[in-house]
Amino acid sequence: MDVVVLDDAEAVAAYVAALVLDAVVREPELVLGVATGATPLPVYRALARGSGDFSRVRVVALDEYVGLPAGHRGSYTEYVSQEIAYPLGIHPGNVVMPWGSGAELERRITELDGVDLQLLGIGRNGHLAFNEPGSPLDSRARVVELTESTRAANAAYVDPVPTHAVTQGLGTILDARELVLLATGTVKARAVSAALTGAVTPDCPASVVQRHPRVTVVLDAAAASMMAPWQTSSGWSARAW
Ligand code: GLP
């Protein structure tokens, strides 16, 4: 696991945007897995300011609320459309959103021959996509019930927050060829520390990234503040401590 700790959220966004751009230059038809939420927003905005050619890129989202009407401003479909597809010039037909039971999402990902590069955020309770604590480590795409803490954390973006969502499973996420997990702010420090330095356990779903052979974690100093430098010195390359 490659853990990169940078000064602030702006530096994290620039670093991750450069990773994505590099992958698209190498593979113009990249299958890019996108996270939603506040954390990766500056990444997409940095990419939109650049001159990368995303016209052949395919995009797959991690999760979506159940029950929001089409076009709802708080839906991840709108987020992906307004913040990613439109600004980057990605054809709407090349965007895959989760819907239904999740089985359709698995089928579409298989049709695309899998996700090449998956961006991930992390919830304050260690959730990954909408895999809440207790999710099986080999879970597949499915409908899940959201915890009260996740609903409270997301209430700023959609109110009331739906009770259920359809999400890629932890097993689905692990199938991506490469993972990039980003986190910023002290509010994520505890979850980041548990996910990266604790046991791999359903209690902290994001800990499953430890099982992936190709992971880059990009943190600002605040999100890394509960990890000691020695925790990044054996086997991990902590480039910016
Ligand atoms: C949300 C999303 C996740 C996201 C995470 C962190 O609930 N379902 O995909 O990565 O929680 O969100 P944020 O970046 O807004 O803190």
Side-chain angles (χ1 to χ4, degrees), residues 36-39 63 76 121-122 127 129-130 150 154 188:
T36 48
T39 312
D63 45 16
Y76 290 163
I122 181 171
H127 74 235
F130 270 137
T150 294
N154 291 0
K188 299 293 175 68

Side-chain angles (χ1 to χ4, degrees), residues 34-41 62-65 76 79 119-125 127-132 146 150-151 153-154 157 165 167 181-184 187-188:
V34 293
T36 48
T39 312
L41 210 44
L62 281 172
D63 45 16
E64 175 59 294
Y65 293 109
Y76 290 163
Y79 178 113
L119 303 181
L120 295 166
I122 181 171
R124 298 172 201 196
N125 63 357
H127 74 235
L128 198 61
F130 270 137
N131 293 280
E132 298 279 26
L146 302 177
T150 294
R151 295 182 69 222
N154 291 0
Y157 312 108
T167 183
L181 173 67
L182 56 153
T184 55
V187 74
K188 299 293 175 68

Side-chain angles (χ1 to χ4, degrees), residues 132-221:
E132 298 279 26
S135 297
L137 299 176
D138 60 354
S139 49
R140 308 304 305 184
R142 67 204 186 287
V143 173
V144 294
E145 185 172 1
L146 302 177
T147 61
E148 282 310 317
S149 72
T150 294
R151 295 182 69 222
N154 291 0
Y157 312 108
V158 51
D159 191 20
V161 182
T163 55
H164 290 76
V166 54
T167 183
Q168 288 189 30
L170 297 173
T172 321
I173 292 168
L174 284 185
D175 285 347
R177 292 179 187 87
E178 182 175 357
L179 306 181
V180 176
L181 173 67
L182 56 153
T184 55
T186 45
V187 74
K188 299 293 175 68
R190 185 175 297 278
V192 165
S193 168
L196 303 185
T197 69
V200 177
T201 164
D203 295 342
C204 179
S207 65
V208 82
V209 302
Q210 294 182 41
R211 294 212 173 144
H212 197 285
R214 212 167 154 213
V215 186
T216 304
V217 181
V218 190
L219 308 171
D220 68 356

Side-chain angles (χ1 to χ4, degrees), residues 99-134:
W99 66 281
S101 67
E104 175 67 8
L105 177 62
E106 293 279 354
R107 191 182 66 75
R108 295 290 303 278
I109 293 173
T110 303
E111 268 175 17
L112 290 170
D113 194 27
V115 171
D116 294 313
L117 178 65
Q118 177 65 59
L119 303 181
L120 295 166
I122 181 171
R124 298 172 201 196
N125 63 357
H127 74 235
L128 198 61
F130 270 137
N131 293 280
E132 298 279 26

